Amino acid sequence: MAEHNKSNPKHHAHKHPGHDKQAAKARPPRPFRFRDALNELGPGLITGASDDDPSGIGTYSQAGAQLGYGIGWTMLLSFPLMAAIQEISARVGRVTGHGIAGNVSQHYSSWLLHVVVTLLFIANTINIAADLGAMADASKLLIGGHSIVYVLLFGVTSVAAQIFLDYQRYVAVLKWLTLSLFAYVAALVFAKVSWSEALTGILVPRLSWSVDYFTTIVAIFGTTISPYLFFWQASQEAEDERVDATKRPLIEKHYGARKEFHRIRADTVIGMAFSNLIALSIIVTAAATLHAAGTTDIKSSAEAAEALRPIAGVFAEVIFALGIVGTGLLAIPILAGATAYAVGEARRWPVGLARKPKEAAAFYAVLALSAGIGIALNFTSINPISALYWSAVINGVLAVPVMVLLMFMARRRDVMGSFAVNGPLYWLGWLSTSAMVLSVVAMGVGFFV
């Protein structure tokens, strides 16, 4: 470009310092397009949206039905804790170029790695089974038919999309699926919400010293802060580096780190805010309809949708059921994908949804196996509610060591180099970890009492 400019004096003759600014002003501002805004968001948005999976919807519906508006404050409390631990997960992936399991395999003992990955595989697989069951029940509510047919349809479709769709197209599909969660904001229209009570429940914690109350809080935290979310977001940051030839792990290429950290924070905060807004909408809808009508014994998301019909009308039931199917289609691939990333990184296999199946056969085999077992569990006599309970227990127990590992990892110079996490984000991460420890202790006390 310098040679060209020298040989073309006219180029200089017409150029003056204000030229670029004037040209920029002359160009009309580009109109806002939702697609462009969505393209700017990535792993954080998808991770946050997948947190409101069908099993999570069941938990939030149960919380609202049992305890009414008074449990809304948990969403306000969990938001900064959830955002902090997810941002730390994303930073680890972006700085190192490896997911959580990949970093654990390099810096910690193999037995610890195997225990964590095995528990994650079990919890995610059970969660897939429960989500598929909830999606099938919701579909049956909408159009009738046999649940098992829907289980097979949704399970096979989710796996096939991950294996055979182009990575960029697949990510775009996941982003668009996040819109299905607005069904729960729409459901508020059909609920006669007492907004003063709802706002009080969000802003003013009202504790009730009962086993049921604390069990519900534990369930909410266990659903909101889940290990598969840490693994998925960290691995997706690493995956984006493999896909984008201009990106390198920040520990190798420091240039642009500040911009990347700003992007990660914005993406994560928006994703987690969206997740908590939807969860709060579900709680408020259940409180305004089910709790107000005295229907407090809700055990699943599909049951919540069905219970809405006589109280809030058929449209509320349909919206609720459609949301279950939409968010399930988003969550199942992420549960299976998080499992495959964790196992693949632990075994040091080639991993990544951007790879062709023949390039990462073992990675895709784990993904298909996890989803396949999840499908198969729906053919057994295992009680889905019981399975979901034990999945939450395993997730809660697993979250503690994973979060502790993550916090130590994020501080280590041999892992993060000069990008070790510190300051308010670091202490907020430990606060999130402490809250999870208290939740698990409370769950254990409730279990044995």
Side-chain angles (χ1 to χ4, degrees):
M1 183 62 74
E3 293 292 329
H4 175 72
N5 290 345
K6 285 177 183 176
S7 63
N8 189 357
K10 290 181 181 180
H11 178 85
H12 293 283
H14 294 288
K15 191 168 183 179
H16 55 81
H19 179 78
D20 290 338
K21 289 183 180 178
Q22 288 173 1
K25 286 180 181 178
R27 281 195 300 266
R30 188 172 181 176
F32 174 81
R33 292 177 61 199
F34 185 77
R35 184 189 292 271
D36 293 340
L38 197 62
N39 285 338
E40 290 299 311
L41 302 174
L45 174 68
I46 295 170
T47 303
S50 71
D51 191 33
D52 295 318
D53 65 333
S55 58
I57 292 165
T59 299
Y60 300 133
S61 300
Q62 187 179 34
Q66 279 188 342
L67 302 170
Y69 299 116
I71 200 68
W73 63 270
T74 55
M75 290 297 101
L76 197 62
L77 175 64
S78 65
F79 168 61
L81 304 181
M82 182 187 184
I85 204 71
Q86 288 301 144
E87 182 180 336
I88 291 168
S89 301
R91 283 193 181 208
V92 167
R94 183 66 186 90
V95 169
T96 66
H98 300 286
I100 292 172
N103 279 293
V104 173
S105 72
Q106 292 181 27
H107 300 284
Y108 295 92
S109 63
S110 59
W111 70 266
L112 179 61
L113 175 69
H114 292 147
V115 168
V116 166
V117 170
T118 300
L119 285 174
L120 184 75
F121 184 97
I122 293 169
N124 285 4
T125 301
I126 295 172
N127 214 326
I128 289 171
D131 283 354
L132 283 171
M135 292 164 71
D137 289 343
S139 300
K140 195 173 175 182
L141 274 177
L142 289 170
I143 54 177
H146 295 285
S147 294
I148 292 303
V149 173
Y150 295 123
V151 166
L152 286 169
L153 176 66
F154 292 135
V156 172
T157 300
S158 297
V159 173
Q162 283 186 293
I163 295 175
F164 298 111
L165 269 186
D166 171 74
Y167 177 72
Q168 299 291 355
R169 184 174 296 175
Y170 175 70
V171 169
V173 170
L174 290 183
K175 285 184 183 180
W176 283 108
L177 278 172
T178 62
L179 297 179
S180 65
L181 289 171
F182 279 110
Y184 296 107
V185 178
L188 286 172
V189 175
F190 300 94
K192 294 178 181 177
V193 179
S194 171
W195 290 107
S196 60
E197 287 185 47
L199 195 60
T200 301
I202 295 166
L203 299 176
V204 183
R206 284 181 288 174
L207 296 178
S208 173
W209 301 99
S210 67
V211 173
D212 286 346
Y213 188 85
F214 282 102
T215 301
T216 302
I217 290 176
V218 170
I220 288 172
F221 273 96
T223 300
T224 307
I225 304 174
S226 294
Y228 78 89
L229 302 175
F230 318 151
F231 282 87
W232 173 262
Q233 191 166 354
S235 294
Q236 281 303 286
E237 286 292 340
E239 180 83 355
D240 284 352
E241 289 173 20
R242 288 191 288 270
V243 174
D244 189 342
T246 65
K247 284 186 175 182
R248 296 292 301 158
L250 291 177
I251 200 166
E252 297 174 13
K253 182 183 175 183
H254 291 204
Y255 177 75
R258 180 174 294 181
K259 183 180 177 183
E260 283 296 280
F261 289 152
H262 282 316
R263 174 191 61 79
I264 286 171
R265 175 159 295 175
D267 185 26
T268 303
V269 167
I270 289 170
M272 301 312 125
F274 179 53
S275 173
N276 280 36
L277 172 66
I278 300 305
L280 186 59
S281 297
I282 296 166
I283 289 172
V284 170
T285 299
T289 54
L290 305 179
H291 182 79
T295 307
T296 58
D297 190 22
I298 296 295
K299 295 205 166 48
S300 70
S301 52
E303 197 175 310
E306 191 172 20
L308 283 174
R309 180 194 286 262
I311 302 165
V314 67
F315 286 114
E317 180 194 26
V318 168
I319 289 169
F320 217 83
L322 283 172
I324 292 166
V325 174
T327 189
L329 288 171
L330 173 67
I332 287 169
I334 291 174
L335 283 159
T339 304
Y341 276 114
V343 173
E345 289 170 0
R347 303 294 298 173
R348 304 198 179 188
W349 295 333
V351 300
L353 294 170
R355 297 183 192 273
K356 301 293 184 186
K358 62 182 180 182
E359 297 171 352
F363 167 80
Y364 284 112
V366 172
L367 189 152
L369 178 64
S370 180
I373 295 172
I375 292 170
L377 287 174
N378 281 277
F379 288 84
T380 68
S381 58
I382 294 173
N383 184 315
I385 304 303
S386 178
L388 192 57
Y389 172 77
W390 285 108
S391 170
V393 170
I394 295 169
N395 265 322
V397 171
L398 175 61
V400 172
V402 171
M403 291 170 82
V404 170
L405 269 174
L406 188 58
M407 293 310 301
F408 282 129
M409 205 186 299
R411 190 73 161 182
R412 285 179 60 160
R413 295 279 173 179
D414 57 337
V415 177
M416 300 287 285
S418 60
F419 301 112
V421 176
N422 52 37
L425 179 63
Y426 178 72
W427 295 112
L428 201 53
W430 273 117
L431 185 60
S432 180
T433 305
S434 302
M436 206 63 213
V437 170
L438 288 173
S439 294
V440 172
V441 169
M443 182 172 63
V445 169
F447 185 76
F448 290 108
V449 169

